[in-house]
Amino acid sequence: MRRPLICLVTLQVTAAPLVIALVAGQPPASGVHTAAQATAGRAAYQANCASCHMPDLAGRSEAPPLAGPNFMNSWRNRTTRDLFEFIQSTMPPDGSNLTADQYLAITAFILESNGAPAGAQPLTATTAAPIGTVASGAAQADAGSARGPRPPSDAAGQPAGGRGQGARGGQAPGGGRGAEARGPLGVTVEGTVKNYVPVTDDMLRNPDPGDWLMVRRNYMGWSHSPLTQVTRDNVKDLQLAWVWAMNEGGANEPMPLVHNGIIYLANTGNILQALDGRTGELIWENHIGPNAMVGMSAVRNIAIAQDKVFFATNDARLVALDARTGKRVWETPIADRSKGYANTAGPIVIKGVVVNGLVGCDRYGNDGCWISGYDAATGKQLWKFNTIRRTGEAGAETWGKLADNLRVGGETWIAGSYDPDLDLMYWGVAQAKPWMRASRGTSNFDNVLYTSSTVAIRPKDGTLAWHYQHAPGESLDLDEVFERVLVDIGDQKVVFTIGKPGILWKIDRKNGAFLGYKETIFQNVFESIDPKTGAPQYRGDILEQQTGQWVQSCPSTEGGHNWQAMSYVPSAGLLVIPLSQSCMEMSGRKIEFTNGSGGTGADRRFFEMPGSEGNVGKLAAYDVKTMKEVWSREQRASLLTAVLTTASGIGFVGDLDRTFRAFDVKTGETLWQTRLGTSVQGYPVAFTAGGRQYIAVPTGLGGGSPRMVPRTISPDVRHPLNGNELYVFALPEKAR
């Protein structure tokens, strides 16, 4: 087994000598940085850090706050040198590096944003002043300063909730990673999809074999194509048909839609394009706005119905575009952007109702979190289902003594599935925030509904049919939010799902009854799982956790399984699942129970999973009847795409090491592979155009733990730091 590698997501403070002599508890006579450094640091921060940590340094999701009481709770007793070295060794998470002067400037900006005064001497790499002696956690009251945090804003620099209009020129330094990216909004390339055929409800329920009309292709969430032109015998002849360069920056994890040979492709920065599937020719393009990277800026899926394409923007709006021309038809807010809300998953359309989830629900004092439905014709909101139970709602008592304003989390950042016969949707709900019970103030008896659950919802009115909670009171960011795959096994209607603990769950989709489970990787979070009810029993030290104490667990927040969806192969009765093998230690922070606070509230450090021999990636197949593992293949590089399978018995998957491969679904044997420009990431799809079958797959960078953890424990797997693209493969014309 390779030696475990520890991630500097938190610092191990060394006994470096102080360069500046300080009296404990007293601020220095002059600051440890210069005003010029802090000014330069603001620019570098906005270009490279603000998309995740926010323009006001408030943090979001896996990016912790960098200003205020919660920052000081973590950093008060550490030094400026610790902060500089932490930023230099771990940020930005896409693996790019800044100069030492830029890292020092960002450190100076963070210090000044926490009330540290500027001085005459510049901050250096060896300056080691305890942060609690130079900063208070309160921003300086200098209204004219170009430094220090500003009121919450969106990542385009507009007031929170605003979108901005018109051409704003240029793009931010740093490759568009930051908060100041600008450009024209609206239709930037005009064109018309010729001979467009409206997508009816029946077409959504029974899609044409050559189309890919929704998230994971069909309502059942199979990520499976009925196409057979590419087979085990000829897949070795696949060749590149064309490639399309996509918008750079953000987390590129798209799932293209295809209708009648036209690809609808979502780019980071809220850009939607229509492309000819045969040639890659651009037909139209719309910069929906903001032209910026809000959070990870991932757009994992879009939806199509009738004559409209539906796009959920990263600043929590739902927009309908004309599928023929790309022109805006309507838009409606999903949530108030000023309260930290955002989006990563797009909608699913069911009988004229556009259903969408929500992220960014982790700040105290917000409005909760929800799944919501909208009229496809007008954008009018029809219903809301609250995933966080508050006073007066069923399940409110499961949050114990927490006040309503402190009940946060419960995001729905992967689109759900739908059973047309039962007329029920199935959504996964993420964990409560902050991540650890000790930080959020709940007890071991508080299940915090409906977090870490499957919820079955009626799409017409948003009412709950049933719920099943996989991990009551989940406490290590091992959420169960991912895809729900619907399978009929004889007369039994089943919903399968797998979350970060790597446990494959089998649930009756009529009533939510537990049917079985399978551990797909090594896990030591649960001491046992009740074979009759599925109720897990946490380890004792997890239950007894306290803030500031490290808790070890396998798997890590990379997840045994994450957003990269599994595929169901109906002919073989197999689920083919991309898995990851890594472990971590987590330490909960002390969180201020005030509005605007909250967040994830924990530090982490990662290491290799025992018994994995350093193989982070695992691809495995499981029998849906018996839940037994049929085959598995392990590799050093993590798998960063969903699995695509086809009716010809082959599957496709891509990884961090730039490899896109085809494999035999019955054995896992590699049948064909190629190296692409950068890491292969997103959702591969199969479609036809002009009678020819194509396989399309995105490449890209960015993302949370699925990128951060491999960077730490498998740094030998290298890839370029740009290359958001769509690659499209086909057989040679003569081979068809």
Side-chain angles (χ1 to χ4, degrees):
M1 178 179 170
R2 291 183 173 90
R3 179 177 58 87
L5 300 172
I6 301 298
C7 175
L8 292 178
V9 172
T10 59
L11 290 175
Q12 298 180 358
V13 180
T14 60
L18 293 182
V19 173
I20 299 176
L22 297 169
V23 178
Q26 297 294 322
S30 61
V32 298
H33 69 276
T34 65
Q37 276 184 311
T39 299
R42 168 178 279 281
Y45 175 88
Q46 295 296 340
N48 298 281
C49 314
S51 62
C52 294
H53 292 275
M54 304 302 291
D56 62 355
L57 290 79
R60 181 176 56 202
S61 187
E62 295 191 49
L66 299 178
N70 292 331
F71 171 80
M72 294 301 294
N73 286 342
S74 294
W75 287 92
R76 182 175 288 107
N77 297 322
R78 303 177 188 180
T79 70
T80 55
R81 177 176 173 175
D82 294 331
L83 181 59
F84 163 72
E85 290 179 347
F86 165 64
I87 297 170
Q88 187 181 46
S89 62
T90 63
M91 296 290 126
D94 63 8
S96 60
N97 292 301
L98 309 180
T99 67
D101 285 344
Q102 285 177 306
Y103 283 118
L104 285 168
I106 291 171
T107 305
F109 168 63
I110 293 172
L111 292 172
E112 190 157 300
S113 297
N114 283 279
Q121 297 297 318
L123 184 72
T124 71
T126 57
T127 305
I131 290 174
T133 66
V134 299
S136 64
Q140 298 180 60
D142 180 2
S145 175
R147 302 175 297 276
R150 293 173 174 171
S153 60
D154 69 21
Q158 300 296 319
R163 197 172 71 249
Q165 295 291 338
R168 295 192 292 269
Q171 185 172 349
R177 288 191 300 272
E180 304 298 334
R182 296 182 176 92
L185 293 176
V187 175
T188 56
V189 175
E190 295 188 356
T192 302
V193 174
K194 298 178 180 179
N195 304 315
Y196 179 83
V197 177
V199 177
T200 65
D201 289 346
D202 184 63
M203 291 165 66
L204 289 173
R205 183 167 179 172
N206 301 287
D208 183 278
D211 280 357
W212 195 286
L213 298 179
M214 68 180 69
V215 59
R216 302 184 296 275
R217 193 182 180 275
N218 64 1
Y219 278 137
M220 311 294 271
W222 288 359
S223 298
H224 177 81
S225 170
L227 297 177
T228 58
Q229 194 176 99
V230 180
T231 68
R232 291 186 186 90
D233 295 329
N234 64 23
V235 67
K236 65 182 183 299
D237 298 320
L238 274 183
Q239 62 185 24
L240 184 66
W242 54 267
V243 62
W244 177 257
M246 300 177 66
N247 189 50
E248 290 292 347
N252 200 47
E253 303 167 359
M255 180 186 301
L257 291 191
V258 189
H259 177 44
N260 283 350
I262 303 300
I263 297 175
Y264 295 93
L265 181 63
N267 287 241
T268 60
N270 301 299
I271 298 170
L272 187 62
Q273 298 163 330
L275 304 167
D276 187 314
R278 295 171 299 174
T279 64
E281 192 73 24
L282 179 64
I283 300 172
W284 57 253
E285 176 181 270
N286 190 320
H287 288 230
I288 298 168
N291 284 352
M293 307 304 165
V294 179
M296 289 190 297
S297 196
V299 184
R300 293 189 176 92
N301 71 280
I302 53 180
I304 190 170
Q306 296 299 335
D307 57 354
K308 300 179 184 68
V309 179
F310 302 94
F311 188 106
T313 65
N314 57 26
D315 65 341
R317 293 174 294 123
L318 187 62
V319 180
L321 303 181
D322 188 311
R324 296 179 179 87
T325 64
K327 294 180 179 179
R328 189 187 308 261
V329 178
W330 56 255
E331 73 167 80
T332 190
I334 299 172
D336 184 350
R337 173 77 190 104
S338 68
K339 297 182 179 180
Y341 292 111
N343 251 310
T344 56
I348 183 171
V349 182
I350 300 169
K351 296 180 180 178
V353 180
V354 186
V355 185
N356 211 91
L358 189 62
V359 302
C361 307
D362 59 349
R363 293 294 160 196
Y364 292 153
N366 64 22
D367 301 322
C369 206
W370 56 86
I371 303 164
S372 44
Y374 303 83
D375 185 287
T378 66
K380 178 183 177 182
Q381 187 179 93
L382 303 175
W383 52 262
K384 261 174 53 170
F385 173 79
N386 294 320
T387 60
I388 298 296
R389 311 314 280 172
R390 292 182 167 180
T391 301
E393 296 178 319
E397 72 284 354
T398 63
W399 285 81
K401 298 179 180 179
L402 276 187
D404 282 351
N405 68 313
L406 303 180
R407 302 180 180 193
V408 296
E411 289 89 349
T412 46
W413 52 279
I414 297 293
S417 301
Y418 172 62
D419 183 335
D421 295 328
L422 296 178
D423 197 24
L424 289 177
M425 299 184 299
Y426 305 88
W427 287 72
V429 182
Q431 75 288 69
K433 305 293 192 308
W435 284 335
M436 301 190 79
R437 288 189 183 104
S439 297
R440 65 177 177 253
T442 54
S443 77
N444 295 330
F445 302 100
D446 299 331
N447 291 346
V448 293
L449 289 174
Y450 287 105
T451 64
S452 293
S453 298
T454 296
V455 291
I457 300 173
R458 300 175 183 91
K460 181 179 180 180
D461 56 14
T463 56
L464 181 71
W466 56 260
H467 81 276
Y468 179 86
Q469 192 168 37
H470 304 274
E474 195 285 316
S475 195
L476 293 169
D477 183 32
L478 299 178
D479 50 321
E480 303 278 355
V481 72
F482 308 109
E483 72 276 10
R484 268 57 186 167
V485 177
L486 314 185
V487 176
D488 292 343
I489 305 174
D491 294 332
Q492 189 176 55
K493 290 181 173 291
V494 174
V495 52
F496 287 97
T497 190
I498 180 172
K500 287 187 180 181
I503 295 171
L504 179 63
W505 301 96
K506 186 177 186 179
I507 308 296
D508 189 312
R509 68 176 189 265
K510 291 181 180 179
N511 54 28
F514 170 77
L515 299 176
Y517 76 95
K518 173 68 176 180
E519 296 186 26
T520 63
I521 58 167
F522 171 71
Q523 70 85 20
N524 61 11
V525 174
F526 304 130
E527 288 186 341
S528 63
I529 298 176
D530 190 303
K532 294 183 179 179
T533 67
Q537 177 62 45
Y538 283 95
R539 281 195 342 248
D541 61 323
I542 296 175
L543 296 174
E544 296 165 3
Q545 65 186 243
Q546 298 181 34
T547 57
Q549 293 184 356
W550 291 100
V551 176
Q552 184 272 335
S553 68
C554 296
S556 76
T557 55
E558 179 185 23
H561 181 70
N562 209 291
W563 60 263
Q564 302 93 335
M566 60 180 152
S567 179
Y568 173 58
V569 187
S571 61
L574 295 178
L575 294 169
V576 184
I577 309 177
L579 302 163
S580 296
Q581 302 179 123
S582 62
C583 301
M584 69 175 179
E585 290 181 304
M586 179 178 283
S587 174
R589 305 188 194 109
K590 179 183 177 182
I591 302 296
E592 301 294 320
F593 288 167
T594 58
N595 287 347
S597 181
T600 55
D603 298 317
R604 295 164 294 166
R605 48 198 187 198
F606 305 109
F607 57 94
E608 291 180 355
M609 180 173 284
S612 68
E613 297 299 324
N615 290 314
V616 182
K618 177 180 177 180
L619 185 68
Y622 298 86
D623 186 289
V624 295
K625 293 181 180 178
T626 65
M627 304 280 280
K628 292 182 178 179
E629 183 178 282
V630 176
W631 57 260
S632 69
R633 303 277 175 154
E634 297 186 10
Q635 61 180 56
R636 177 69 168 155
S638 55
L639 302 170
L640 290 180
T641 73
V643 172
L644 162 69
T645 62
T646 72
S648 55
I650 56 176
F652 296 87
V653 71
D655 66 31
L656 180 68
D657 200 27
R658 303 187 291 122
T659 300
F660 184 51
R661 73 183 72 246
F663 61 89
D664 188 314
V665 299
K666 292 184 178 180
T667 66
E669 176 191 0
T670 296
L671 302 172
W672 166 88
Q673 67 181 41
T674 186
R675 298 290 293 282
L676 303 184
T678 192
S679 48
V680 192
Q681 177 170 282
Y683 295 82
V685 303
F687 66 95
T688 59
R692 190 180 186 190
Q693 180 180 335
Y694 295 86
I695 305 294
V697 65
T699 58
L701 306 173
S705 289
R707 300 301 300 241
M708 183 188 304
V709 177
R711 181 187 174 191
T712 303
I713 66 175
S714 53
D716 51 299
V717 180
R718 300 182 178 92
H719 53 80
L721 299 178
N722 62 347
N724 289 355
E725 294 181 309
L726 182 71
Y727 289 80
V728 180
F729 297 90
L731 296 173
E733 289 288 345
K734 62 180 181 180
R736 295 194 294 120

